[in-house]
Amino acid sequence: MFLSKILSIIKLTNQYTNLPRKYKINDHAFSTYTTDSAYWAGFIAADGCVYNKTLTFALKSTDIQAVEHLKSFLQAENPIYQHKTVHGDKTFYSAGMTVTSTQIVEDLLVNYDIHPHKSLTLKWAQQIPNFVRHAFVRGYFDGDGTIGRHGKNSSTFRVAFLGTMSFLQTLKSFLNPPRGTILLKEKGKKVYRLQYNGNKQVRMICEGLYQDSSVTTRLERKYQRYLELCGG
């Protein structure tokens, strides 16, 4: 949800959606289900924005490598931008890219139910085949998930996902183990947290998510945190 901090960038790029496309891209990157396409669709479901014919994807500048990996997956020639946003006394730095492709936006909608203004309305896409669902969840976890200790000095591990109630309820039934607690993250807001506490549960969940992953289909800092806690 870091993308909300750079809405000014999205508004600016949307002014140019009717111009001829300047950069080449693989328009059919999401036309078929693969573990790679499912991973990036999950990441986009968490941290991307689709509007009109454009896809915008942005992260903290320290995660620019993930943006580079998405660019490579899309076979895109588009440049990666870096941006500074000031909110009160806080300054945020982001890195991202915007691509124009009617086909990509349509495929994300048809194959993954990723639509404009999805932050508070996202639902689990039942049409996603079983063989790529773990990759989709891994991507979503890299965007809107956390892993760490239950407390600063705790020996108990914790993993959590943020999202809509509808999405998290289905995610809860998919994960193994299915036990988890869905909590309202912030009073008055429709953002929820699905949380699991316990070393065995966290290890089982992460082992499932990281199966057949590679350096280009996982956020390395979260993967290293998993290895640090669980030993891989």
Side-chain angles (χ1 to χ4, degrees):
M1 296 184 180
F2 179 80
L3 192 60
S4 62
K5 297 168 185 171
I6 59 163
L7 286 177
S8 58
I9 290 291
I10 297 173
K11 292 178 181 178
L12 178 63
T13 56
N14 283 336
Q15 296 175 10
Y16 302 98
T17 56
N18 292 322
L19 296 178
R21 189 165 62 183
K22 183 177 181 180
Y23 303 105
K24 293 181 180 179
I25 190 173
N26 176 11
D27 290 300
H28 295 281
F30 295 100
S31 296
T32 58
Y33 291 108
T34 66
T35 52
D36 283 8
S37 64
Y39 169 77
W40 287 113
F43 214 150
I44 290 166
D47 271 339
C49 178
V50 292
Y51 183 82
N52 200 355
K53 298 183 293 184
T54 65
L55 163 65
T56 298
F57 182 81
L59 302 172
K60 295 185 296 185
S61 59
T62 52
D63 289 328
I64 189 173
Q65 186 178 56
V67 183
E68 294 170 345
H69 289 158
L70 174 60
K71 176 178 177 176
S72 178
F73 167 73
L74 294 175
Q75 300 174 35
E77 296 180 347
N78 304 61
I80 294 174
Y81 62 77
Q82 298 194 54
H83 186 68
K84 173 183 176 181
T85 305
V86 178
H87 286 269
D89 60 349
K90 296 183 178 180
T91 302
F92 303 93
Y93 296 91
S94 63
M97 63 184 297
T98 296
V99 301
T100 301
S101 172
T102 300
Q103 185 68 51
I104 284 178
V105 172
E106 288 181 354
D107 286 339
L108 287 172
L109 175 62
V110 172
N111 293 336
Y112 297 97
D113 283 355
I114 297 173
H115 52 80
H117 314 297
K118 62 180 171 48
S119 296
L120 300 179
T121 59
L122 183 67
K123 295 182 179 180
W124 181 275
Q126 297 293 342
Q127 64 269 34
I128 301 176
N130 288 334
F131 78 98
V132 297
R133 287 187 176 183
H134 68 286
F136 177 81
V137 175
R138 185 195 324 130
Y140 189 87
F141 172 72
D142 279 350
D144 273 340
T146 60
I147 181 173
R149 297 188 182 276
H150 189 55
K152 184 176 181 181
N153 299 314
S154 175
S155 60
T156 302
F157 307 152
R158 171 185 57 82
V159 67
F161 302 79
L162 299 181
T164 64
M165 174 64 83
S166 175
F167 182 86
L168 295 181
Q169 284 177 328
T170 309
L171 174 59
K172 181 180 177 182
S173 67
F174 166 77
L175 291 174
N176 182 22
R179 296 184 302 279
T181 303
I182 297 180
L183 304 168
L184 182 62
K185 182 176 183 289
E186 190 171 343
K187 188 175 181 180
K189 294 188 177 181
K190 298 178 181 179
V191 178
Y192 294 83
R193 177 192 293 113
L194 171 60
Q195 184 165 308
Y196 293 85
N197 301 318
N199 299 9
K200 183 177 180 180
Q201 289 200 100
V202 171
R203 185 175 288 108
M204 290 178 65
I205 290 170
C206 290
E207 285 177 352
L209 295 185
Y210 285 118
Q211 61 175 301
D212 66 33
S213 70
S214 68
V215 68
T216 60
T217 55
R218 62 183 181 233
L219 193 60
E220 199 62 22
R221 62 177 173 82
K222 287 187 180 178
Y223 181 66
Q224 291 302 320
R225 183 61 169 156
Y226 153 65
L227 294 179
E228 175 190 335
L229 293 174
C230 303

